[in-house]
Amino acid sequence: MLTLLRPAAVLLACATLLTGLLYPLVVTGLAQAVFPAEANGSLILAAPGRVEASALIGRPSERDRDFWSRPSATSPHPYNGAASSGSNLGPYHPALVEAVRGRVEALRAAHPERAGVPIPVDLVTTSGSGLDPHISPAAAHFQTARVARARGLSEETVRGLVDAHTEGRMLGLFGAPRVHVLRLNRALDALPPGGA
Amino acid sequence: MTAQAWATMAAYVALLLALAVPLGAYIARVFTGEAHLARRLLGPLERLSYRVAGVRADEEMSWRRYASALLLFNLFGVLVVYGLQRLQGVLPLNPAGLPGVPPEVAFNTAVSFASNTNWQAYGGETTMSHLTQMAALTVQNFVSAATGLAVLVALIRGFTRRLTETIGSFWVDLVRGTVYVLLPLSLVLALALVSQGVVQTLDGAVELAPAAAAGQETEPASEQIALGPVASQVAIKQLGTNGGGFFNVNSAHPLENPTPFSNLLQMLAILLVPAALCFTFGALVKDRRQGVALFLAMLVIFVPLMIGTVAAEQAGNPALTALGLDPAGGNLEGKEVRFGVVDSAIWATSTTAASNGSVNAMHDSFTPLGGLAPMWLMQLGEIVFGGVGSGLYGMLVYALIAVFIAGLMVGRTPEYLGKKIEAYEMKMGMLVVLFPAAAVLLGTALACVLPAGTAALGNPGPHGFSEMLYAFSSGANNNGSAFGGLTVSGHFYSVAIGLCMVLGRYGLIVPVLAIAGALARKKGVPMTAGTLETHTPLFVGLLVGTILLVGALTFIPALALGPIIEHLSFGAK
């Protein structure tokens, strides 16, 4: 047994050096050299040194003129990038059903043009991370009439912009079609006033 | 279920097979000591580590010595991980200034990572410093997987050797598995993940400029975004069937799994090594058909459960559909839009078939039947692909039980791969089956009657029972995923699940090594006309039947109290 002590201790030390320090440092070095933007969080800079957002983390807007993101379960406030969290509510938890009922009512009130249209599920459910930057194309199209109204644009223009910002599945197989909410809102902001 | 879902599942299984076959052949060459590219490049590292450790590469061990070396190495690992967590507040690489981890969570985490479980009773970005993530957790991700690999290789030597007392050297198996298998794969995967947007930096959180400056009226929603050395840990967490993520929500976090492509890479990595090891096994016992038979037995159990989970999640939540939601949307609570329902359900099945436990969606919010399949896959003993090494050695124990049952039926001495299977192997095999099953059921029962057990629930009714059953199924079978609504950082769950993880890991490894030692001592018996062939569809059916029968008889009563009653009460239309 005593003859096992040295190899056990030394090999653990070797593994710590190799896989706990050398390996992450080599990956960090290569990542920073080859993919610097991605390795640092895919940040969007408003100005040099001023980070506006990460392209991968949702940045919601509640204004009528913007597309709205999914609800978020992070605390203490939604879309808290420092502490990711899902709701972890079971499918029939009364709190989930009540929360969704409230969100449905709010959406219905804000979208009179869509009366009777089934509500896209992602628009009233929280994501796993609480940081989801995307909504489904159906969830975007559900909002086009409100956004067009608030911005004084034709709904056709807004719909066209949604379609242009819709990403499909990878190879037609993996993932799901989606719209990046922040990019779509920025593209709206970039339109000339009064519509194109 | 949509045609899209069928196509996605078929493509996933085909890609997995295409990668697993060549990797399996490569791993076999690593453990036979043949020349290969990684050995030419990294050979000096292997030899240097032997020299400083005072290890002779050709010094073989008896099974008892092999087990002692393994337990000692793992014990040291637990102590280091515990120590680093407790002391992280005064150690470097702690940009967020996080304090030391409380003792019960530190104990739970140390056992969790050493035992390849990666149950996480903490939120990563708000609890662990970069140093702890790297030098404690990432290290255990490598060596716990290499430990499982070593036990498997030792068991295979039990079948291939004749009339010998030794089953190899734990030190050599440990180093070769780490340096030649896990390290190169992780390096490649980590960089591929960074290319997709998985972060990799030693810096801490990034501050966001107030949104008002960017033309917003409302207060900024997120002032900070946590960063860190994520990609290096995520790569090995998937390849080593560990599952312990950097962030609280694991691979649902956009910086841990940003795109459908990064999701595909991680889904493949979850099952890659366990699937490849079936082919490694075939190569090492010099009969490829034996490995293919075990792979098919795993696939026969995996595929229907994957289809069932996808179907249940696509069917959606009737309680929400009744509020006017689009029924075609499926169950999206706790799921990310970029992955959608299908890739989230495939992932949930894969991560619980493997003893991985990483998640890209919150299992607690799955439909009752969608959550049942992952729970049952863990309860089957993590042998449907299972952990790196541990999945296949568990499956081989079931193969011994299957030939034993077949032998009883026809009145012949059972044999497997030319070795007689006798009472001693069966006794050890029964321990492998009974330890985790007892830990799951007794642990859940204890949680039900203790106030500390039920006070931690996040959901009422049968779903709350499911949370407890899932937690003990995950811990005792070294999976690590959770129904996250359960608060597990308290004393009761930290200690109870910590003990389950120890029993479920080392309570199995020691009997498996004892079987390896007993088999290696035996002489070979020649195949005769009366020998049950173990590569035929008949044997695959027998093996699958044995697994499902044991799994059903043991766990259906408990499952009936959780997901099944929940489905019948709320979900059935």
Side-chain angles (χ1 to χ4, degrees), chain A residues 11 40 119 163:
Chain A
L11 288 179
N40 291 311
I119 291 186
D163 288 336

Side-chain angles (χ1 to χ4, degrees), chain B residues 108 119 471-472 475-476 486 488 492-502:
Chain B
N108 184 283
W119 174 262
F472 283 95
L486 190 71
V488 291
F492 170 70
Y493 281 104
S494 290
V495 174
I497 291 182
L499 295 177
C500 284
M501 292 189 286
V502 172

Side-chain angles (χ1 to χ4, degrees), chain A residues 8 11 16 24 27 41 48 53 95 103 105 115 122 132 134 138 143 145 153 165-166 181 186 191-192 195:
Chain A
L11 288 179
T16 305
V27 175
R103 294 169 194 151
E105 282 167 9
D122 55 309
D132 199 336
H134 297 108
Q143 305 180 48
L153 297 168
H165 281 79
T166 300
V181 182
R186 288 291 171 276
L191 286 181

Side-chain angles (χ1 to χ4, degrees), chain B residues 218 220 233 316 384 398 478:
Chain B
T218 49
Q233 187 173 327
V384 180
Y398 264 98
N478 301 132

